[in-house]
Amino acid sequence: MRILVVGTGGVGAAFARIAQRRSFFEQCALADYDRGRSQAVVSSLADDRFSAHAVDASEQRSLMELIRETNATHVMNAVDPIFNVPIFEACFDTGVTYMDMAMTLSEPHPTHPFEKAGVKLGDYQFERAAAWEEKGQLAVVGMGVEPGAADVFARYAADELFSEIDEVGIRDGANLVVEGHEFAPTFSIWTTIEECLNPPAIWEKERGWFTTAPFSEPETFDFPEGIGPVECVNVEHEEVLLVPRFIDCKRVTFKYGLGDEFIAILKTIHLLGLDSKEKVRVKGVEVAPRDVIAAMLPDPATLGDRMTGKTCAGTLVTGLGKDGQPRKTYIYHVVDNAWSMREYASQAVVWQTALNPVCALELLAEGTWSGVGVLGPEAFPPRPFLDKLAELGSPHGVMELVP
């Protein structure tokens, strides 16, 4: 396997640090718009399997040239999802396997944004699924932690724990604190704005996909391993668009523990129009307001040494167990920032995200996972993935709750 990673920000760098300890690939090319950034990662690894390259992820032709130059067999998309289409299409045209951690972007319904689904996350990619399948080519979409591991947890619940599923509810929470910053998102603020301010999607078997208002339906969820109770709200996320395609259930939701202060800041950003992706002219320079916000905030990859606490990603499943009795199970993955910094020099959120595509690519290299077309994590057998998490020193957990 020869891997090309597009993007060497926090997640791309963490991916390289995790993959370096594995032997399933021959070469791994790290590419970024700024070659200096990819070179810095390569230099820190001191491993001749890795090489540094420059590429503009918005230019499909340049991406295709780099895929051919590096003889890549698998491309790992580690940039913001605004670049998904050119990377996805470059992989299709060059005949290589594609993987991302977030699907192509949505567009709200033009007249009823908080009731009806418009263009959904991943619609572009799944509309191309037949073409990928016809070529015998594989695209694995949504293979981070959420989406990604959370979807594998849902598949595991459906296969091994439940006879009937009422709801698959992704619940994400943390008790992370960043010292010295009033506001410092621990993940890409560009992506955070996108998923938090767009209308959240919900899926119900009798109704299909529909939307609600951002930050709706607050609930308090008690997270494991000392994190404790966190208020979670509806947020747009890929699991809601992926799980129903592959798993028989009655309802799918995604709720994120954001906190009142974080929500207030996001609402202010939206009120001022600073979440816009459209460029405006400022003193002769064209710039997207959201890009300005991203440039003003600290790079999440640099926050690890000032962060304390844990982050938890998990899947809450309710329904009937294999014995026919009511069951409520939370399947989760927790990372302690102190541990990820000590072991990998990567802060917890980006490390947790990067771990899962490494596992998935290793399973593809082994032939344990295989397929054609455009597939989500739910399309593959879950047990080998869970075993791989444990093998890499970061196993999943299971918490039984009162139904």
Side-chain angles (χ1 to χ4, degrees), residues 257-279:
L258 293 172
D260 291 341
E261 183 180 9
F262 199 100
I263 290 173
I265 290 170
L266 289 174
K267 286 181 175 179
T268 301
I269 288 172
H270 178 64
L271 181 67
L272 297 174
L274 296 175
D275 58 327
S276 175
K277 295 174 284 189
E278 302 302 319
K279 291 184 178 181

Side-chain angles (χ1 to χ4, degrees), residues 39-77:
Q39 184 59 60
V41 177
V42 171
S43 298
S44 71
L45 298 172
D47 184 331
D48 61 11
R49 292 179 298 167
F50 292 86
S51 58
H53 306 265
V55 72
D56 184 343
S58 68
E59 294 288 339
Q60 183 179 335
R61 185 181 298 275
S62 298
L63 288 159
M64 292 172 64
E65 289 173 356
L66 184 57
I67 290 169
R68 294 184 177 117
E69 176 191 330
T70 58
N71 294 313
T73 58
H74 294 68
V75 172
M76 178 63 224
N77 176 356

Side-chain angles (χ1 to χ4, degrees), residues 304-315:
D305 59 355
R306 284 164 282 173
M307 280 173 55
T308 56
K310 299 177 181 179
T311 183
C312 179
T315 304

Side-chain angles (χ1 to χ4, degrees), residues 116-235:
K116 299 179 181 180
V119 176
K120 302 185 299 300
L121 292 169
D123 271 1
Y124 179 93
Q125 289 164 304
F126 281 106
E127 285 167 4
R128 298 276 286 124
W132 282 73
E133 190 169 354
E134 188 174 316
K135 281 186 68 177
Q137 196 172 337
L138 175 63
V140 183
V141 296
M143 194 60 250
V145 62
E146 291 174 341
D151 303 72
V152 175
F153 297 159
R155 175 83 270 162
Y156 168 66
D159 287 358
E160 300 192 25
L161 305 182
F162 286 78
S163 60
E164 183 178 312
I165 294 177
D166 292 329
E167 181 172 346
V168 173
I170 314 303
R171 300 293 182 265
D172 180 305
N175 60 359
L176 294 168
V177 175
V178 181
E179 182 183 356
H181 288 280
E182 292 293 328
F183 181 65
T186 56
F187 200 70
S188 162
I189 186 59
W190 199 102
T191 302
T192 300
I193 289 173
E194 182 74 16
E195 63 189 23
C196 290
L197 292 178
N198 279 350
I202 295 172
W203 182 86
E204 293 179 356
K205 197 167 191 174
E206 302 301 322
R207 187 174 175 183
W209 283 291
F210 61 95
T211 57
T212 183
F215 318 120
S216 59
E217 299 181 3
E219 69 174 59
T220 298
F221 186 76
D222 196 356
F223 287 89
E225 300 195 21
I227 294 174
V230 178
E231 185 178 77
C232 300
V233 294
N234 281 324
V235 166

Side-chain angles (χ1 to χ4, degrees), residues 235-254:
V235 166
E236 181 189 52
H237 232 253
E238 285 87 349
E239 293 91 330
V240 179
L241 291 310
L242 281 169
V243 169
R245 297 178 189 270
F246 301 97
I247 294 174
D248 184 18
C249 57
K250 297 177 183 176
R251 194 169 195 260
V252 185
T253 59
F254 181 99

